[in-house]
């Protein structure tokens, strides 16, 4: 009975309009936009006031902690065409074999009674999963002739979670090896699906990997939409800057006016030893859901209560699952999320068309994007890639302002059509 009532509530959200639009409401006083990864005072970690989920609810969620696929299903069931098709679209959840006993989890949406002429791939960021885009799938799958593919990165979400081990010693080779863990799986997925070229929409760390994919496997991306991309700006913590200071200890930072985020010593210690932030969730037993509620309660405070609840369960499920791809973070970024090998230093190697998207209140430094766009234009003698700003949005642009974000991506899809 509870499942039936919950499903009815989820469906009720979408009975009036085929494209997801939540009725605007004033921002919740508990809402907090994402901020750069940095340590928080230990007093807050042990304060129950910051984790609103009750102990009884936490225990109930902990008992079903391994059913991540069910949690994903519940989020995707908010869509009008899943699990049953509507008048124009059908959707399915797939496990695509990418070799070595691994698979990539995919949510595929297909237009009924129309020929597929274009494919659009959507990729999440660090610690997330494909269902984070549930407020975008309806709109982005509504354009005739397009098939939508949302992916979980290898080692994330409901994709396979193989052991993550890096063997290279050279700092640049370590980064290449780390990137290859993810982008080789994307390439294997593309081949398995028989897709020659596609439009790529990727967020945060996913955008970083999408950029790396475009460099290693050129020619397969029609247009690359980088949404609040991670690892772009240069800093004094990059490999090249550190190497320069080793050669000349008196050398000053080449980054004018640089102000690095200060992180506690304990946070820096754990980061540099590749300790995953999700280990706290896994190692605290039934308290794990309660700890996760501290983030989800504030992050999803502006969503309808039913959606916020199922997203919390989904987030806990993917945070608690076996550690794998998450261990890449420390190889690619220094504490405070500063790239060890910034995309701004190698953006000239991106040869496909790009569009860079930031939120109006984004913590990602768009100056890095501007520098990268300048280098792309200079290297290829063409027009500078556009940078778009989505209003009333922070780092998770697609969740904060789905209507404006969806229209921006639909414009990109129209541009792709016009060029064919």
């Amino acid at each position: 009975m509870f499942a039936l009532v919950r499903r009815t509530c989820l469906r009720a959200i979408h009975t009036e309009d085929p494209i997801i639009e939540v009725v605007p409401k004033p921002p919740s006083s508990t809402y907090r936009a994402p901020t750069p990864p940095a340590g928080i005072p230990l007093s807050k970690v042990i304060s129950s006031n910051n984790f609103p989920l009750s102990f009884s609810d936490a225990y109930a969620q902990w008992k079903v902690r391994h059913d991540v696929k069910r949690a994903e299903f519940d989020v995707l069931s908010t869509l009008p065409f899943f699990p049953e098709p509507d008048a124009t679209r059908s959707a399915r959840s797939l496990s695509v074999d990418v070799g070595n006993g691994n698979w990539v989890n995919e949510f595929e949406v297909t237009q009924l009674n129309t020929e597929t002429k274009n494919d659009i791939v959507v990729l999440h960021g660090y610690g997330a999963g494909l269902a984070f885009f549930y407020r975008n799938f309806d709109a982005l799958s509504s354009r005739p002739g397009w098939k939508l593919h949302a992916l979980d990165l290898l080692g994330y979400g409901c994709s396979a979670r193989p052991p993550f081990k890096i063997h290279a010693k050279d700092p640049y080779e370590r980064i290449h090896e780390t990137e290859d863990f993810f982008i080789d799986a994307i390439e294997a997925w593309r081949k398995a699906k028989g897709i020659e070229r596609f439009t790529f929409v990727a967020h945060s760390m996913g955008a970083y990997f999408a950029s790396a994919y475009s460099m290693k496997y050129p020619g397969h991306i029609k247009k690359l939409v980088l949404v609040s991309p991670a690892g772009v700006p240069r800093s004094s913590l990059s490999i090249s800057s550190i190497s320069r200071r080793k050669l000349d200890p008196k050398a000053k930072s080449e980054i004018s006016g640089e102000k690095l985020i200060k992180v506690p010593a304990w946070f820096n210690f754990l980061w540099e030893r590749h300790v995953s932030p999700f280990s706290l969730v896994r190692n605290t037993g039934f308290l794990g859901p309660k700890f996760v509620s501290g983030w989800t309660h504030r992050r999803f405070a502006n969503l309808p209560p039913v959606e916020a609840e199922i997203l919390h369960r989904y987030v806990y499920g993917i945070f608690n699952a076996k550690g794998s791809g998450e261990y890449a973070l420390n190889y690619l970024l220094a504490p405070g999320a500063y790239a060890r090998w910034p995309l701004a230093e190698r953006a000239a190697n991106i040869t496909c068309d790009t569009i860079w998207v930031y939120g109006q209140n984004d913590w990602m430094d768009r100056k890095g994007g501007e520098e990268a766009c300048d280098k792309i234009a200079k290297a290829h003698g063409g027009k500078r890639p556009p940078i778009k700003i989505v209003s009333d949005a922070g780092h998770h642009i697609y969740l904060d302002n789905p209507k404006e974000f969806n229209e921006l991506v639909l414009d990109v899809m129209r541009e792709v059509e016009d060029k064919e």
Side-chain angles (χ1 to χ4, degrees):
M1 175 60 73
F2 173 74
L4 177 61
V5 172
R6 179 172 62 178
R7 181 65 180 276
T8 302
C9 291
L10 297 178
R11 286 296 187 196
I13 298 172
H14 305 285
T15 54
E16 296 183 359
D17 194 321
I19 296 181
I20 301 174
E21 284 191 30
V22 178
V23 177
K25 62 179 182 178
S28 168
S29 60
T30 60
Y31 172 79
R32 295 293 184 275
T35 56
I40 60 175
L42 292 176
S43 60
K44 287 190 175 183
V45 175
I46 63 177
S47 173
S48 61
N49 294 332
N50 294 290
F51 309 104
L53 191 70
S54 69
F55 288 104
S56 60
D57 286 342
Y59 180 71
Q61 293 177 20
W62 176 76
K63 288 197 298 183
V64 295
R65 61 193 179 280
H66 298 306
D67 200 354
V68 185
K69 197 63 180 176
R70 177 65 198 190
E72 178 194 80
F73 179 91
D74 287 344
V75 178
L76 297 176
S77 292
T78 63
L79 298 166
F81 48 79
F82 182 80
E84 297 87 15
D86 64 7
T88 60
R89 292 156 297 178
S90 66
R92 57 179 182 163
S93 183
L94 305 169
S95 294
V96 181
D97 185 358
V98 293
N100 299 318
N102 295 321
W103 67 90
V104 164
N105 184 50
E106 174 188 358
F107 182 62
E108 178 189 82
V109 186
T110 304
Q111 287 275 336
L112 300 176
N113 305 317
T114 61
E115 179 186 359
T116 298
K117 297 181 179 179
N118 282 289
D119 296 274
I120 183 168
V121 175
V122 179
L123 191 65
H124 64 85
Y126 180 79
L130 62 83
F132 269 52
F133 292 93
Y134 80 103
R135 302 184 87 190
N136 316 108
F137 291 149
D138 198 354
L140 301 187
S141 66
S142 65
R143 191 155 185 82
W146 286 79
K147 180 177 288 188
L148 183 146
H149 313 266
L151 309 180
D152 278 338
L153 286 162
L154 183 65
Y156 282 98
C158 294
S159 287
R161 290 175 173 247
F164 183 85
K165 295 181 180 180
I166 298 301
H167 303 285
K169 301 300 181 182
D170 177 82
Y172 288 109
E173 288 303 315
R174 286 162 69 92
I175 289 175
H176 274 310
E177 187 178 349
T178 301
E179 294 172 351
D180 288 349
F181 177 90
F182 302 97
I183 64 179
D184 288 353
I186 295 173
E187 176 65 359
W189 170 86
R190 182 194 67 80
K191 291 180 177 178
K193 298 287 289 189
I195 299 171
E196 182 58 30
R197 301 183 71 225
F198 57 93
T199 299
F200 209 167
V201 179
H203 174 251
S204 193
M205 188 58 73
Y208 176 99
F209 291 131
S211 300
Y213 174 88
S214 73
M215 298 178 202
K216 184 173 182 179
Y217 298 107
H220 297 299
I221 300 178
K222 295 181 179 180
K223 188 105 175 182
L224 177 56
V225 183
L226 300 169
V227 184
S228 191
V232 180
R234 295 180 300 115
S235 79
S236 59
L237 297 180
S238 69
I239 296 172
S240 60
S241 293
I242 293 173
S243 298
R244 189 179 298 110
R245 290 197 299 276
K246 285 182 177 179
L247 293 174
D248 182 6
K250 296 182 180 180
K252 295 182 179 180
S253 173
E254 71 277 20
I255 313 300
S256 178
E258 180 183 43
K259 293 183 179 180
L260 297 176
I261 298 169
K262 293 182 179 179
V263 298
W266 67 266
F267 184 83
N268 185 79
F269 177 85
L270 295 176
W271 184 289
E272 295 294 358
R273 281 155 183 78
H274 306 283
V275 176
S276 167
F278 303 125
S279 60
L280 174 67
V281 177
R282 299 188 191 101
N283 295 323
T284 51
F286 76 91
L287 292 178
K290 189 171 181 66
F291 283 123
V292 173
S293 74
W295 185 80
T296 59
H297 178 70
R298 290 182 287 275
R299 184 63 196 86
F300 303 142
N302 286 341
L303 297 178
V306 173
E307 296 182 16
E309 165 64 17
I310 57 176
L311 268 180
H312 160 76
R313 291 174 180 268
Y314 174 64
V315 168
Y316 168 61
I318 59 179
F319 282 10
N320 183 74
K322 177 184 176 183
S324 177
E326 69 201 57
Y327 297 114
L329 184 70
N330 319 78
Y331 289 98
L332 302 175
L333 305 179
Y338 297 101
R340 300 191 190 276
W341 192 6
L343 289 176
E345 291 183 2
R346 46 188 172 140
N349 296 321
I350 301 176
T351 57
C352 62
D353 287 343
T354 59
I355 176 172
W356 302 63
V357 184
Y358 292 89
Q360 181 182 10
N361 306 311
D362 210 324
W363 66 265
M364 286 294 183
D365 185 359
R366 71 186 68 158
K367 291 182 180 178
E370 293 170 354
E371 182 178 357
C373 289
D374 288 338
K375 289 191 175 182
I376 291 174
K378 183 178 180 180
H380 304 292
K383 184 178 179 182
R384 185 175 186 265
I387 296 179
K388 302 289 186 179
I389 307 300
V390 176
S391 63
D392 300 321
H395 180 53
H396 289 285
I397 301 167
Y398 54 91
L399 269 177
D400 295 337
N401 191 342
K403 184 176 181 180
E404 189 172 329
F405 174 81
N406 292 342
E407 190 54 45
L408 186 153
V409 177
L410 286 168
D411 284 342
V412 170
M413 296 164 73
R414 296 183 188 102
E415 292 174 3
V416 169
E417 292 173 352
D418 291 341
K419 290 184 178 181
E420 296 182 339

